[in-house]
């Protein structure tokens, strides 16, 4: 049996990383792969919908990242095939470092000094300190938990919100829809590291964001469709929110005419918060390949029902 890699961005780094772990792996590259009945495992990112119908002996499909929203939206996703994703400490650590950078940039308002620099203006300003703010993390999974604990180490007062409650020393984790308003009421800096599901789509809307205290700041590193862009812009212009840092967008690349580009209080980054490193995740992919082949329990299984 063989493994196929489906990635419009290129397959070479993935082939080298997988071969490094197991030189004997039979690896094929979409769309040039033939004899698709020999494929038992697909490693994929942003695949063209409908293609899995051509792989009659597929046992497992692995996302090339932590997210599976694109994968699960395929109307022709074969029902009998298991779906797995990647959970990687490096991916989580990169996210934690990125979120820390965004928060520090916000507390010190470094963007404002950069603008003043372009006009040669020397003008000191007050700033916020780590102890002045409470950070609320939406999504306390593999990545969110790491973000929370790294921020805690840096001295932040951190809270979390997830579907189910969790015990994390020093961090209150609110759970479910009932506890969401209380979580928002207490959050000065809101960070979404949620997966995109039917329940989280549009969750960063006016009704919810209004529950944040005045001058709260929003960071979205989860998925773009969680945010209603117009609601964010309205709440910033009304002075309820102080600004936002967005790394993910409903349409990527962000279209040139999107309102978010021109917002002075919104930072836009091109989905670079944390990038999967093929070398770091290759061992778990190879492990899952053999587990699927031998009918053993898989790692990092995705629930189609929950959507993550
Ligand atoms: P996990 O599946 O490990 O964690 C998901 C978390 O979200 C869990 O804590 C889960 O709750 C919570 N959650 C899911 N649905 C709800 C809901 N309806 N209400 C409340 N909480 C909910 O995922 P990861 O941490 O690995 O990744 C999270 C997301 O981060 C990815 O899906 C992806 O969208 C995004 N991401 C973005 C990147 C970037 O570069 N911008 C890079 C990597 C990932 P519970 O624990 O109770 O199940």
């Amino acid at each position: 049996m063989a493994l196929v890699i489906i990635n419009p961005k290129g397959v070479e780094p993935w082939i080298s990383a997988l071969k490094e772990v197991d030189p004997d792996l039979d690896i094929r590259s979409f769309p040039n792969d033939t004899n698709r009945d020999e494929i038992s495992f697909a490693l994929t990112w942003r695949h063209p919908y409908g293609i899995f119908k051509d792989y009659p002996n597929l046992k497992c499909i692995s996302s090339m990242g932590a997210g599976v929203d694109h994968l699960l939206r395929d109307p022709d996703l074969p029902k009998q095939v298991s779906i797995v994703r990647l959970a990687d400490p490096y991916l989580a650590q990169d996210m934690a470092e990125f979120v820390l950078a965004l928060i520090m940039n916000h507390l010190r308002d470094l963007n404002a000094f950069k603008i003043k620099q372009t006009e040669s203006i020397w003008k000191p300003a007050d700033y916020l300190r780590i102890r002045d703010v409470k950070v609320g993390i939406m999504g306390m999974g593999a990545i969110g938990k790491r973000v929370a604990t790294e921020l805690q180490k840096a001295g932040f007062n951190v809270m979390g919100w997830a579907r189910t409650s969790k015990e994390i020393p020093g961090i209150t984790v609110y759970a479910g829809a009932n506890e969401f308003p209380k979580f928002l009421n207490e959050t000065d800096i809101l960070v979404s590291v949620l997966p995109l599901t039917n329940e989280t789509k549009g969750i960063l809307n006016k009704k919810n964001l209004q529950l944040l205290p005045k001058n709260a700041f929003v960071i979205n590193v989860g998925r773009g469709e969680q945010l209603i862009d117009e609601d964010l812009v309205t709440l910033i212009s009304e002075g309820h929110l102080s600004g936002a840092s967005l790394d993910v967008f409903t349409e990527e690349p962000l279209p040139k005419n999107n309102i978010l580009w021109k917002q002075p209080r919104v930072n836009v980054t091109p989905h670079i918060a944390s990038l999967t490193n093929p070398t770091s995740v290759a061992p778990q992919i190879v492990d899952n390949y053999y587990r699927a082949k031998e009918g053993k329990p898989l790692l990092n299984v995705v629930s189609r029902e929950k959507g993550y």
Side-chain angles (χ1 to χ4, degrees):
M1 294 309 259
L3 177 155
V4 66
I5 303 181
I6 305 162
N7 184 4
K9 285 189 192 160
V11 296
E12 281 317 316
W14 291 93
I15 295 177
S16 333
L18 293 171
K19 285 279 186 191
E20 188 77 23
V21 178
D22 183 351
D24 297 331
L25 264 189
D26 182 352
I27 304 177
R28 320 272 173 92
S29 305
F30 177 87
N32 303 319
D33 52 328
T34 50
N35 301 334
R36 291 184 170 167
D37 56 328
E38 293 171 10
I39 306 289
S40 62
F41 192 100
L43 174 64
T44 169
W45 192 249
R46 301 213 163 264
H47 71 283
Y49 287 158
I51 58 163
F52 293 124
K53 284 190 286 192
D54 298 339
Y55 295 85
N57 295 315
L58 204 55
K59 288 189 161 65
C60 179
I61 302 172
S62 173
S63 168
M64 261 180 195
V68 286
D69 40 289
H70 175 83
L71 195 46
L72 295 186
R73 276 181 182 174
D74 184 342
D76 294 313
L77 199 62
K79 291 204 168 40
Q80 77 287 358
V81 173
S82 302
I83 309 294
V84 298
R85 66 187 197 97
L86 302 178
D88 178 43
Y90 290 97
L91 197 66
Q93 182 63 27
D94 285 359
M95 181 66 87
E97 291 173 15
F98 185 67
V99 170
L100 178 61
L102 295 179
I103 294 178
M104 291 315 300
N105 183 40
H106 163 62
L107 295 185
R108 292 301 186 125
D109 206 0
L110 298 179
N111 292 344
F113 290 110
K114 191 69 202 170
I115 292 167
K116 285 176 194 151
Q117 185 186 339
T118 61
E119 296 163 22
S120 309
I121 295 174
W122 179 280
K123 191 161 183 267
D126 287 340
Y127 49 84
L128 290 167
R129 295 181 177 83
I130 287 176
R131 64 169 179 268
D132 293 334
V133 291
K134 264 190 177 181
V135 182
I137 315 281
M138 297 168 74
M140 291 293 284
I143 298 179
K145 208 182 290 176
R146 183 65 165 257
V147 173
T149 51
E150 290 298 316
L151 291 178
Q152 187 188 37
K153 272 193 231 164
F156 284 95
N157 188 345
V158 184
M159 301 170 301
W161 181 67
R163 256 159 65 110
T164 53
S165 56
K166 311 187 186 317
E167 295 289 325
I168 304 176
I171 298 177
T172 303
V173 180
Y174 294 96
N178 286 348
E179 296 184 1
F180 193 39
K182 186 165 168 35
F183 164 81
L184 291 173
N185 283 162
E186 290 186 24
T187 294
D188 299 305
I189 298 177
L190 182 70
V191 182
S192 173
V193 204
L194 286 168
L196 178 64
T197 67
N198 292 337
E199 287 176 30
T200 65
K201 188 174 178 187
I203 194 167
L204 299 174
N205 56 35
K206 192 168 182 185
K207 179 173 149 272
N208 289 333
L209 295 176
Q210 266 174 335
L211 296 178
L212 295 166
K214 192 169 160 51
N215 285 326
F217 189 79
V218 174
I219 294 176
N220 188 12
V221 286
R223 281 291 180 265
E225 284 173 63
Q226 287 158 14
L227 176 72
I228 308 295
D229 298 351
E230 295 75 16
D231 289 0
L232 176 84
V233 171
T234 302
L235 289 172
I236 292 174
S237 65
E238 289 173 359
H240 183 68
L241 297 176
S242 57
S245 279
L246 309 176
D247 184 56
V248 285
F249 303 90
T250 298
E251 192 180 341
E252 295 181 4
L254 185 63
K256 293 259 184 245
N257 61 357
N258 188 288
I259 46 166
L260 294 169
W261 283 116
K262 302 272 184 247
Q263 300 301 313
R265 302 301 304 175
V266 175
N267 292 325
V268 169
T269 49
H271 202 147
I272 44 73
S274 66
L275 306 172
T276 312
N277 178 331
T279 309
S280 152
V281 296
Q284 65 177 280
I285 295 166
V286 173
D287 194 352
N288 261 340
Y289 168 76
Y290 283 109
R291 283 166 180 263
K293 196 173 167 190
E294 292 156 18
K296 292 184 178 160
L298 298 164
L299 309 172
N300 305 317
V301 176
V302 170
S303 156
R304 293 190 193 213
E305 210 174 90
K306 288 195 284 180
Y308 68 98

